[in-house]
Amino acid sequence: MAKLGKIIDMGEQLCFCNSLDEKMQKLKRKWEDLSSREADINKELEYAESLYLKKRRQQVENWLKNVERINRQVHSLEQTLEERRLLGRVQLWKRVEELTGEVTQLVDQGRFPGGLTFEAHETKGDALLTTKLVGQKFQTNMDKIWTCLMQDEVLIIGIYGMGGVGKTTLVTHIHNKLIENPNTFDHVFWITVSQDFSIHKLQNDIARMLHLDLSNVDDEKKRAAKLAQALMRRQQSVLILDDVWNHFVLEKVGIPVRVNGCKLILTTRSLDVCRRMGCQLIIKVEPLSKEEAWSLFLEKVGNEISLSPEVKDIARSVAKECAGLPLAITILAGSMRGVDDICEWRNALEILKESKLGQDDMETEVFLVLRFSYWSLNDSKVQHCFLYGSLYPEDYKIKREELIERFIDEGFIDRMKSRQVEFDRGHTILNKLENSCLLEGIIDDFPNENKCVKMHDLVRDMALQIVIVSPQFMVEAGVGLEDIPDEEKWTKDLEKVSLMHNKISEIPSSLSPRCPKLSTLMLQHNSLRRIPDSFFWHMHGLEVLDLSYNGIEYLPNSLSHLENLTSLLLRECDKIEHVPSLAKLSALRRLDLWHTGISEVPNGMEMLVNLRYLDLYAPNLKMLPVGTFTKLSHLQYLVVYRSSETLKVNGEEVAHLKRLETFSGQLSELQNFNAYVKSLKVGGPSNYLLQMGLDDPDVTPIESDTFDKRVILKRCILSTSRDGGEDSLLLPEDIEFLYIQECNDVRSLCGISSLKNANNLKACVIKKCNRVEHVLSHYSSPSSILTLQSLESLRLAFLQNLSDFIRCDRALSQSPPSGTLACLKEFRIYNCPNIKKLFMPRLLMCLQNLEEIHVDDCRQIEEIVAAASDENEVEENKDKGLGTTIFTLPKLRCLQLWDLPQLKSICNDNAVLVCDSLQEIIARNCRKLKRIPLSLPLLDGQPSPHPSLQMIKAFPEQWWESLEWDHPNAKNLLQPLCQFTRYV
């Protein structure tokens, strides 16, 4: 019988394998369809983006990212099947079916009936921040360059001069003048080249400005050809290359300089570069005259105080030490701003003169002037913060937040009562450095306009001169290194080493630098695969180690003996599966394991009693052992991966972390979630992202980025009781952002009783909740009333059973309570197939702050504003003189209606919309819509142009032309604003 049982069991396994193979074959067929569609789309995009002013849609970009994610998952599943791991066969079967469903869905989504791209409507760009031109020579040079730009025979203009003389300022004014003059050139592009020049890097920088993707093209000649084609299509353009250090062949990059095509302006410190680049006009920027320099110095010193004649005489001598260089004048004058004591001025002059003795080279003299500004900071920690900026590559945009985090790591900012106070101190230091002109404040090209700082290359050179001596740095950042510096360069007095942003792939096993004073080692953004154990043997003083953004597979055990380490950064080292024991690293204050490949919490982490910052956003992490955070009582920042079925945080455990200021993680279930939320009533993080339910990998709702206090609910039960009792969801009272997806046990937001106390809620997204029938429901019972008075943004998506926006008790005359959605600015609804009428008239009266309405792909919707349901409602909105119902939305800026095949009216035939702030009307495929009820102002009884409307985008054109207007002349008045394109 036992033998028979084994045979039956083997038979079952064989049947399972065969059936699983069939399922897998079906998945592969679907996957092949998806891969073919992906290839076709990439080809179409490559062609479309090479055309003039075409840009891929965000939904296409998101689709491609999802396909890439699915590809990884299918590959992983194939590997699992090859190993025949039958112990989890039920889970394996389920996973194959889930992936087949996801692949099928992606194939369907990949049709993109609205097209892959849209018209980018590229502009010349924005004016750049700059200082005003000083001196007659500057204005003469400006006029000469402008005149030559307007002449066909001059195609390349070179501007040269020593560092700090004002070349960039001059060309910035040219750039801004081109932007401001619409009848000159159609396109103006600015690229900063710098010392770390390479053909490949410059090609990438220009391609980014042109919205051209070269990531899949490795061959230099093919890249150059694509760039040249893109630039030639943009006729009448100017390309500005700032800070060129070496000459290069334009054709190798792909810069087609020609008449009626692209003109080139470059700045450099070398006349030889101008000549070898073939510049037809060469301008030398000279220092300011003595009087011009003195005038600029006085302006930068400021007029807060009045200088006595005696002090002015000394100040004039101080200004003379700047050799007429605007950069030196600006920085030196900034360091003396507000000083009226003659002794301080005499001391400054004496220091400048003494430091210059025996110096004949003008640039060396300028360094000494800049160094005086460094000395004038009069705060050793601020000076250290300044020198720290030199560890970054030349012209590198450093995010302020990142730099302040580094200052904290280095101990430049004293430990304070909270991270927020420490960051305030950090911003104060950076402001001081900016005000002293030792750092430049800029806005980065990233979302949300991250504030950054950078060092002028001459200021950085001065800083690097200082750190040759004391404190001693070795800085070879962003210079293209492929090999780590030889051992003789690792001197015993080194304190900080920066080799970031290079191409170093390995460290020789023979290298064991003897650097007992080394406190900071920065190796981030390289190609490191492994580090030999000997490398850290003689670095016992190491405090900050950054190995982020490398392909490291193994960390050496010697890492475990760096007992002075306070900051260990392994960010995006996704190949690291194991971290050596941390038990001896009790001094560690910051541990960043974001997107590492670890599957379990590092051994000895419970010994990190001084830890203040912990990032465990590691996708492969399986679970958190009980008591993981119990001893980490100093934690201020805690982030845990949120997209795992097993990795969940114990809310009660986190609640005991009384110093926590930032927390992000997935809480295990409703009771655990509620327990943590209750703890917030007596104080908690000022920045949190609480999640309940399984998230999609690496997906955080983009809408949440601007909020500090967020809750995400996905695929979870929001209530285990029907009466809103203790087993119902409890939300934090200070919540600002709420995201609900695939939670199918509520019919409206009123089912979440704790929302009544959420008086700071600013944004709400409801997505794929199939039981939701209405957003709000107002009945005679006071307990059911929810007004969401503070809400500013509401987004509804894929709600299959949504039938009403608000459902009211008939006894209440269909009128929502006073204040309902009174602050709402943005309303978006997508793919809700059952709703027919959007807003009731009386609700519209509450929406007086509404600025945007977006309605997309709601296939049954017939009316945006429903017809009035009773006589009283009609009378409240009726114009007594005209018998017309008037709906007023005074702040509405954008009305977008997409793919609404049943839409018949925006509001009924006897009604008009008064929207005096309206700027955009976007309508596509609303073929049953016959009338746009937009009220136009009357002048002598005739309609006049709308006061704010700037653009109307519509498709198809024939449908738009057939629309009716309240006055025959209205169509003619609006015609100049119309654009007829599918890609709206």
Side-chain angles (χ1 to χ4, degrees):
M1 288 295 291
K3 187 175 181 181
L4 179 60
K6 286 183 179 179
I7 292 172
I8 292 171
D9 186 50
M10 288 174 62
E12 287 178 351
Q13 291 191 18
L14 187 60
C15 289
F16 168 77
C17 288
N18 290 336
S19 179
L20 188 60
D21 283 341
E22 290 174 7
K23 292 277 186 187
M24 195 63 194
Q25 289 303 318
K26 180 181 177 182
L27 171 58
K28 283 184 176 180
R29 288 194 297 273
K30 294 281 187 183
W31 186 36
E32 286 171 3
D33 291 342
L34 181 62
S35 299
S36 298
R37 183 62 185 137
E38 179 190 22
D40 291 342
I41 284 176
N42 278 323
K43 284 181 182 177
E44 289 182 48
L45 286 174
E46 183 180 359
Y47 173 72
E49 289 176 338
S50 71
L51 297 175
Y52 183 53
L53 301 180
K54 292 287 184 181
K55 195 173 181 181
R56 69 181 64 185
R57 291 179 175 277
Q58 186 60 51
Q59 64 185 126
V60 176
E61 184 66 28
N62 293 340
W63 184 85
L64 288 170
K65 287 179 181 177
N66 285 328
V67 171
E68 185 180 348
R69 174 176 57 83
I70 286 292
N71 287 341
R72 291 196 300 268
Q73 292 178 4
V74 174
H75 282 303
S76 175
L77 185 62
E78 283 185 314
Q79 185 179 350
T80 304
L81 278 171
E82 285 173 8
E83 296 172 5
R84 290 295 180 189
R85 299 176 188 165
L86 290 173
L87 291 176
R89 56 188 182 179
V90 175
Q91 291 89 343
L92 208 55
W93 179 298
K94 183 180 177 184
R95 188 63 186 135
V96 172
E97 292 224 314
E98 286 177 352
L99 273 179
T100 303
E102 288 189 56
V103 170
T104 303
Q105 186 178 10
L106 280 173
V107 171
D108 291 339
Q109 290 174 352
R111 294 192 176 95
F112 298 112
L116 302 178
T117 59
F118 62 91
E119 303 289 338
H121 293 291
E122 201 173 68
T123 63
K124 284 188 180 184
D126 297 319
L128 302 175
L129 293 176
T130 188
T131 55
K132 71 176 184 179
L133 289 178
V134 177
Q136 184 57 45
K137 289 181 181 177
F138 271 90
Q139 190 58 55
T140 301
N141 287 336
M142 176 94 174
D143 295 340
K144 187 182 295 185
I145 294 168
W146 186 259
T147 300
C148 289
L149 270 177
M150 300 303 118
Q151 298 171 356
D152 289 345
E153 56 269 23
V154 179
L155 300 176
I156 307 178
I157 298 172
I159 302 169
Y160 81 100
M162 67 172 296
V165 77
K167 302 181 297 296
T168 299
T169 300
L170 176 60
V171 80
T172 301
H173 279 273
I174 293 290
H175 171 278
N176 291 349
K177 189 172 180 180
L178 288 168
I179 295 292
E180 292 160 5
N181 284 265
N183 299 321
T184 53
F185 291 83
D186 296 329
H187 306 280
V188 187
F189 305 108
W190 179 292
I191 306 290
T192 302
V193 180
S194 302
Q195 279 182 281
D196 61 338
F197 165 81
S198 71
I199 295 289
H200 194 274
K201 180 177 181 296
L202 182 54
Q203 287 175 331
N204 282 342
D205 290 341
I206 298 173
R208 195 175 301 114
M209 296 295 293
L210 300 174
H211 308 297
L212 180 66
D213 184 9
L214 294 179
S215 58
N216 295 321
V217 186
D218 295 323
D219 183 81
E220 187 179 283
K221 290 183 178 178
K222 291 181 180 178
R223 290 163 61 88
K226 286 181 176 292
L227 270 181
Q229 289 170 10
L231 280 169
M232 283 189 289
R233 275 190 290 271
R234 289 162 170 81
Q235 296 181 1
Q236 294 294 320
S237 59
V238 175
L239 175 62
I240 298 172
L241 300 182
D242 186 37
D243 200 17
V244 178
W245 283 74
N246 300 294
H247 73 278
F248 59 89
V249 179
L250 295 174
E251 288 74 16
K252 280 190 174 183
V253 177
I255 301 174
V257 175
R258 62 186 59 192
V259 177
N260 295 323
C262 179
K263 290 197 174 191
L264 176 65
I265 302 176
L266 62 90
T267 72
T268 176
R269 296 189 188 184
S270 167
L271 172 61
D272 185 58
V273 168
C274 291
R275 288 171 174 166
R276 299 184 72 170
M277 292 288 291
C279 296
Q280 293 143 310
L281 172 69
I282 298 176
I283 300 282
K284 182 179 182 182
V285 181
E286 301 277 6
L288 299 174
S289 68
K290 289 182 181 179
E291 286 307 312
E292 289 168 344
W294 172 236
S295 176
L296 178 61
F297 188 88
L298 281 179
E299 179 187 327
K300 297 301 179 182
V301 165
N303 54 9
E304 292 89 352
I305 57 173
S306 178
L307 299 179
S308 67
E310 295 81 3
V311 170
K312 274 192 177 182
D313 287 341
I314 300 171
R316 187 181 283 273
S317 298
V318 169
K320 185 179 177 182
E321 299 297 317
C322 297
L325 294 181
L327 176 67
I329 293 168
T330 300
I331 292 175
L332 183 57
S335 68
M336 299 302 292
R337 181 185 289 271
V339 176
D340 61 354
D341 189 326
I342 193 169
C343 297
E344 289 190 51
W345 280 97
R346 278 202 299 257
N347 181 59
L349 180 59
E350 189 63 25
I351 291 172
L352 287 167
K353 284 185 174 180
E354 283 183 3
S355 62
K356 282 188 171 185
L357 287 176
Q359 304 293 341
D360 297 324
D361 177 54
M362 185 185 289
E363 195 151 319
T364 303
E365 291 183 12
V366 171
F367 279 169
L368 296 172
V369 172
L370 300 182
R371 190 175 294 191
F372 173 81
S373 295
Y374 163 75
W375 291 329
S376 298
L377 291 171
N378 290 324
D379 185 324
S380 62
K381 288 191 174 180
V382 177
Q383 289 173 332
H384 281 302
C385 290
F386 164 70
L387 295 177
Y388 196 88
S390 68
L391 292 169
Y392 288 83
E394 183 183 349
D395 286 320
Y396 192 86
K397 297 176 182 178
I398 316 169
K399 295 178 184 175
R400 287 177 70 109
E401 302 283 326
E402 175 191 334
L403 198 51
I404 293 170
E405 201 79 72
R406 303 282 184 169
F407 293 167
I408 295 171
D409 290 344
E410 297 284 347
F412 300 155
I413 296 176
D414 295 330
R415 295 292 167 188
M416 298 179 179
K417 63 180 181 180
S418 70
R419 276 173 60 84
Q420 184 58 58
V421 176
E422 290 170 356
F423 267 77
D424 290 344
R425 172 62 179 153
H427 283 296
T428 302
I429 290 172
L430 291 178
N431 289 343
K432 183 172 183 177
L433 292 173
E434 280 190 44
N435 293 337
S436 300
C437 300
L438 292 170
L439 289 179
E440 301 173 30
I442 53 175
I443 300 295
D444 201 2
D445 301 325
F446 288 88
N448 301 328
E449 294 191 330
N450 293 294
K451 290 185 177 179
C452 300
V453 294
K454 62 177 283 192
M455 275 188 173
H456 187 284
D457 50 2
L458 201 63
V459 174
R460 181 174 182 269
D461 290 344
M462 177 269 291
L464 291 176
Q465 278 196 351
I466 293 173
V467 298
I468 288 174
V469 184
S470 177
Q472 199 173 114
F473 294 3
M474 176 167 67
V475 182
E476 296 192 43
V479 294
L481 283 184
E482 296 184 0
D483 299 310
I484 201 160
D486 295 333
E487 191 153 354
E488 56 265 24
K489 290 188 177 181
W490 297 78
T491 62
K492 64 177 183 178
D493 292 322
L494 273 180
E495 296 182 32
K496 299 189 190 302
V497 171
S498 174
L499 302 172
M500 67 168 82
H501 288 276
N502 281 302
K503 302 173 184 176
I504 301 170
S505 58
E506 64 177 298
I507 298 174
S509 57
S510 59
L511 184 64
S512 183
R514 294 181 178 274
C515 302
K517 296 181 181 178
L518 188 65
S519 64
T520 301
L521 177 57
M522 305 174 81
L523 283 164
Q524 66 266 35
H525 290 282
N526 273 284
S527 306
L528 283 172
R529 294 191 295 273
R530 61 184 62 209
I531 298 174
D533 202 49
S534 60
F535 186 64
F536 295 123
W537 280 354
H538 305 295
M539 296 184 183
H540 300 301
L542 198 61
E543 297 177 2
V544 177
L545 176 60
D546 193 344
L547 300 171
S548 303
Y549 300 96
N550 275 290
I552 300 171
E553 297 172 2
Y554 303 102
L555 289 169
N557 289 326
S558 57
L559 184 71
S560 300
H561 302 287
L562 300 176
E563 296 184 18
N564 288 307
L565 206 61
T566 60
S567 179
L568 177 58
L569 311 177
L570 301 171
R571 200 170 182 82
E572 194 66 70
C573 293
D574 56 0
K575 290 185 171 60
I576 291 180
E577 297 180 358
H578 173 73
V579 174
S581 174
L582 304 176
K584 292 183 179 180
L585 308 187
S586 59
L588 203 63
R589 294 173 180 269
R590 184 180 178 200
L591 178 59
D592 193 337
L593 299 171
W594 187 85
H595 267 279
T596 55
I598 62 169
S599 57
E600 57 185 28
V601 171
N603 182 40
M605 200 170 77
E606 70 280 0
M607 304 301 291
L608 307 180
V609 293
N610 288 303
L611 202 64
R612 283 162 167 74
Y613 180 112
L614 177 59
D615 196 320
L616 285 174
Y617 198 87
N620 296 334
L621 193 60
K622 301 300 181 188
M623 62 177 294
L624 295 171
V626 175
T628 298
F629 307 121
T630 303
K631 294 183 179 180
L632 309 183
S633 59
H634 288 94
L635 269 182
Q636 297 172 315
Y637 180 102
L638 174 61
V639 171
V640 183
Y641 187 66
R642 306 186 321 275
S643 303
S644 168
E645 292 184 2
T646 57
L647 183 63
K648 297 178 181 177
V649 179
N650 184 303
E652 294 182 355
E653 194 174 316
V654 177
H656 285 93
L657 301 174
K658 300 301 183 184
R659 301 186 183 186
L660 207 58
E661 297 174 45
T662 297
F663 171 58
S664 173
Q666 181 188 176
L667 296 160
S668 52
E669 74 285 316
L670 185 62
Q671 288 76 14
N672 195 268
F673 184 94
N674 285 352
Y676 181 69
V677 171
K678 286 178 182 176
S679 75
L680 297 179
K681 293 184 178 181
V682 292
S686 56
N687 187 309
Y688 59 74
L689 196 167
L690 310 181
Q691 181 172 309
M692 184 169 61
L694 186 62
D695 196 1
D696 300 318
D698 299 326
V699 174
T700 299
I702 193 169
E703 305 95 327
S704 72
D705 289 349
T706 56
F707 299 98
D708 292 331
K709 299 173 181 181
R710 302 167 285 174
V711 172
I712 296 176
L713 307 169
K714 287 195 173 185
R715 305 172 192 166
C716 58
I717 303 299
L718 303 185
S719 175
T720 57
S721 67
R722 296 184 178 180
D723 57 359
E726 292 185 359
D727 294 326
S728 295
L729 175 72
L730 187 62
L731 291 173
E733 292 183 0
D734 60 355
I735 180 178
E736 296 173 350
F737 174 86
L738 175 62
Y739 185 97
I740 308 174
Q741 179 177 324
E742 296 176 73
C743 298
N744 295 320
D745 62 332
V746 291
R747 294 187 177 183
S748 81
L749 289 179
C750 294
I752 305 174
S753 57
S754 58
L755 266 177
K756 286 191 294 183
N757 300 318
N759 296 322
N760 292 314
L761 185 66
K762 303 296 183 186
C764 179
V765 179
I766 311 173
K767 183 178 180 181
K768 294 183 180 178
C769 297
N770 289 335
R771 287 197 64 194
V772 168
E773 296 176 358
H774 33 273
V775 180
L776 299 175
S777 50
H778 294 142
Y779 295 95
S780 52
S781 169
S783 63
S784 71
I785 293 178
L786 181 64
T787 60
L788 300 178
Q789 289 193 47
S790 61
L791 196 69
E792 296 179 359
S793 174
L794 177 61
R795 300 189 181 196
L796 312 173
F798 299 97
L799 303 178
Q800 298 300 309
N801 290 305
L802 183 73
S803 58
D804 298 292
F805 186 178
I806 295 184
R807 184 170 294 178
C808 291
D809 191 336
R810 290 187 178 181
L812 297 177
S813 302
Q814 301 291 321
S815 180
S818 174
T820 298
L821 300 171
C823 291
L824 194 67
K825 296 179 180 179
E826 176 195 58
F827 175 76
R828 296 173 183 259
I829 180 169
Y830 310 106
N831 297 86
C832 296
N834 280 320
I835 190 166
K836 294 185 177 182
K837 300 178 181 182
L838 197 53
F839 302 126
M840 66 177 73
R842 282 185 176 167
L843 174 62
L844 213 63
M845 294 168 63
C846 298
L847 304 180
Q848 295 302 287
N849 286 301
L850 195 60
E851 297 178 4
E852 297 183 42
I853 299 174
H854 298 256
V855 187
D856 182 6
D857 203 21
C858 296
R859 296 284 165 167
Q860 296 301 318
I861 200 160
E862 297 175 358
E863 295 177 292
I864 302 300
V865 182
S869 57
D870 60 58
E871 291 183 7
N872 290 333
E873 198 163 1
V874 172
E875 289 300 319
E876 287 177 14
N877 295 284
K878 184 170 289 187
D879 185 300
K880 305 301 182 186
L882 301 175
T884 302
T885 304
I886 297 175
F887 298 113
T888 303
L889 292 174
K891 297 184 179 180
L892 189 69
R893 293 185 292 104
C894 177
L895 175 62
Q896 177 174 297
L897 308 171
W898 275 14
D899 299 328
L900 309 174
Q902 299 302 319
L903 182 65
K904 297 175 182 175
S905 68
I906 293 176
C907 54
N908 65 66
D909 290 345
N910 293 319
V912 294
L913 279 175
V914 177
C915 309
D916 289 341
S917 301
L918 192 64
Q919 297 175 7
E920 285 185 307
I921 298 176
I922 303 174
R924 181 182 72 186
N925 294 334
C926 304
R927 296 173 189 265
K928 289 189 177 181
L929 183 64
K930 301 301 181 185
R931 174 174 170 264
I932 301 289
L934 181 64
S935 174
L936 293 177
L938 295 177
L939 185 63
D940 296 330
Q942 297 296 317
S944 59
H946 192 280
S948 60
L949 194 60
Q950 299 173 6
M951 179 173 60
I952 298 172
K953 291 185 179 181
F955 182 84
E957 183 176 356
Q958 296 85 347
W959 160 72
W960 182 262
E961 293 292 344
S962 69
L963 286 175
E964 298 175 4
W965 298 85
D966 288 348
H967 194 285
N969 253 355
K971 186 180 295 185
N972 294 331
L973 284 170
L974 297 174
Q975 191 68 28
L977 304 176
C978 292
Q979 300 174 18
F980 302 107
T981 171
R982 178 188 298 273
Y983 307 114
V984 297

